[in-house]
Amino acid sequence: MTDWFSISLDLNSIHEEPQLEEQMEFLCNVDEEYVPKVGMTFKSCTEASEFYKEYAKRAGFSSKIQNSQRNKEIDAIKNQLFTCKREGKRRSDIPEAEKTNPMSPANCPARMFVHIDKLTQRYVISKVVLEHSHPCSADLAEILPQHRELSMYVHHVIVNND
């Protein structure tokens, strides 16, 4: 019979931090014609932005412009970085399990970098990351704030009431 005080415990194993699993990567199922690829060109930065926004809608996530640089001499955008809206890290004292905001940062690596080609004066995609660190749902894209659209009736009611 063993006494309760003679059992040795390895206290380090009890307080050991759980090992983080590898970050899961989620690919969105989108038609090939809407998927951004390195080398694609656009006439303007606005056209590139609309393309990535349309891809985001079809893939089921929201996008944002993370960074842009302007050429001050000609007042034009030199390059722009489009990212998933869930890019970044959480900076909150509230545990993630208690937070209910579905748009909280998830350190998502999805991005598209566009720069202007000096020879052709067109915007070219130079870097693309399509993997997400969170699930995306094209079926639920309509409820994301970026992709919401007013019906014609609601639009007319708002216009007429103003």
Side-chain angles (χ1 to χ4, degrees):
M1 185 168 170
T2 325
D3 293 331
W4 65 272
F5 54 84
S6 65
I7 298 173
S8 64
L9 292 174
D10 184 12
L11 294 177
N12 292 334
S13 66
I14 293 174
H15 297 291
E16 197 171 291
E17 291 291 323
Q19 296 292 327
L20 293 175
E21 297 178 16
E22 286 185 30
Q23 191 174 12
M24 296 182 68
E25 293 182 353
F26 296 91
L27 281 172
C28 303
N29 190 14
V30 179
D31 292 339
E32 280 296 314
E33 65 184 277
Y34 298 105
V35 176
K37 297 174 192 70
V38 174
M40 291 177 81
T41 60
F42 304 95
K43 293 177 185 174
S44 67
C45 211
T46 307
E47 187 179 323
S49 177
E50 289 299 317
F51 176 79
Y52 195 69
K53 188 175 178 182
E54 181 64 27
Y55 165 69
K57 184 176 183 179
R58 290 177 182 273
F61 68 95
S62 291
S63 63
K64 66 179 180 178
I65 298 173
Q66 176 66 24
N67 191 5
S68 30
Q69 291 183 337
R70 292 181 94 53
N71 184 341
K72 293 179 182 176
E73 296 170 358
I74 58 173
D75 194 38
I77 296 175
K78 288 195 307 188
N79 56 47
Q80 218 165 32
L81 176 63
F82 304 96
T83 62
C84 175
K85 192 119 180 178
R86 296 190 69 182
E87 178 268 340
K89 293 189 178 181
R90 180 183 269 312
R91 294 185 200 113
S92 176
D93 294 336
I94 301 170
E96 193 166 338
E98 295 176 16
K99 194 93 171 176
T100 58
N101 182 3
M103 294 303 290
S104 64
N107 204 19
C108 186
R111 60 191 58 231
M112 177 179 89
F113 185 76
V114 179
H115 72 278
I116 193 162
D117 183 17
K118 292 180 182 178
L119 296 175
T120 61
Q121 293 298 311
R122 293 177 64 95
Y123 289 88
V124 181
I125 298 177
S126 57
K127 295 177 190 172
V128 175
V129 178
L130 299 176
E131 296 85 22
H132 292 266
S133 63
H134 55 90
C136 301
S137 174
D139 298 333
L140 301 176
E142 298 172 347
I143 65 171
L144 295 171
Q146 180 180 19
H147 306 303
R148 286 186 196 148
E149 294 179 9
L150 294 175
S151 68
M152 188 62 77
Y153 172 75
V154 173
H155 177 72
H156 283 295
V157 168
I158 292 171
V159 170
N160 290 335
N161 288 337
D162 284 343

